[in-house]
């Protein structure tokens, strides 16, 4: 967007009860770039992601998403700037099917007005059919077709993580933060997920 880097973090610091969790951390992520954070438990990886996503506010430093300063901006507004985050516990509504979860993510991109829906305007039905087709395409590309009608709460840990990733990608983000995307997965699930992560770019 306007030539700005998708993500710029400069000198971010944060402390908890006098313990320095992040100490002047800087990182730049360019278009199409995949950057991994490596470190042991307690190294500050999730804390940095929480600062970038707005779930924590740093004590010092700057964070820019697509050229926009987001320090102080609540997490619910950051998706409007193109930032999405997944969590270690795959936060999906358990009462939705895989298709519905992906369509809910697509809703953020193409909203119909409530009034249009109430009066059953013809373009709402057309938009809904387009959304269903787009959801099928995303589901197919992530290898989730066999689970399209399954409730997300009934999925295995690995499949639920892939579903969350599919929903994240469906919302067409500029920056995706993945918090330990392979944690808790079986080896075969890890091997299957790596090509998916590479394909995100």
């Amino acid at each position: 967007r306007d030539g700005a880097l998708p993500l710029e973090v400069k000198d971010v610091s944060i402390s908890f009860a006098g313990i320095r969790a992040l100490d002047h951390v800087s990182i730049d992520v360019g278009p199409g770039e995949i950057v991994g954070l490596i470190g042991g438990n307690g190294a500050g990886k999730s804390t940095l992601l929480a600062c970038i996503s707005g779930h924590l506010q740093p004590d010092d430093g700057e964070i820019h998403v697509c050229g926009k300063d987001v320090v102080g901006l609540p997490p619910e507004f950051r998706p409007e700037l193109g930032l999405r985050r997944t969590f270690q516990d795959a936060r999906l509504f358990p009462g939705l099917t895989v298709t519905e979860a992906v369509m809910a993510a697509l809703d953020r991109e193409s909203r119909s007005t409530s009034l249009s829906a109430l009066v059953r305007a013809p373009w709402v039905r057309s938009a809904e059919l387009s959304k269903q087709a787009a959801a099928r395409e995303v589901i197919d590309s992530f290898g989730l077709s066999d689970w399209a009608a399954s409730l997300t709460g009934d999925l295995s840990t690995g499949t639920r993580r892939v579903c969350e990733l599919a929903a994240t990608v469906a919302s067409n983000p500029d920056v995706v933060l993945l918090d330990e995307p392979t944690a808790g997965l079986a080896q075969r699930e890890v091997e299957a997920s790596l090509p998916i992560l590479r394909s995100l770019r």
Side-chain angles (χ1 to χ4, degrees), residues 68-79:
K68 304 289 186 186
D69 182 5
V70 296
V71 173
L73 189 69
E76 59 268 23
F77 291 105
R78 299 188 188 208

Side-chain angles (χ1 to χ4, degrees), residues 22-99:
L22 299 174
D23 190 16
H24 297 287
V25 176
S26 296
I27 186 172
D28 290 341
V29 180
E33 188 174 11
I34 297 175
V35 175
L37 301 176
I38 300 173
N41 287 339
K45 303 181 300 294
S46 292
T47 300
L48 179 59
L49 295 186
C51 286
I52 295 169
S53 64
H55 292 87
L56 290 174
Q57 294 299 329
D59 299 328
D60 299 296
E62 301 175 16
I63 301 171
H64 292 87
V65 175
C66 298
K68 304 289 186 186
D69 182 5
V70 296
V71 173
L73 189 69
E76 59 268 23
F77 291 105
R78 299 188 188 208
E80 298 300 322
L81 299 176
L83 178 72
R84 299 286 190 278
R85 177 187 177 183
T86 66
F87 293 85
Q88 294 181 31
D89 55 356
R91 299 180 181 182
L92 295 164
F93 292 108
L96 295 181
T97 66
V98 170
T99 298

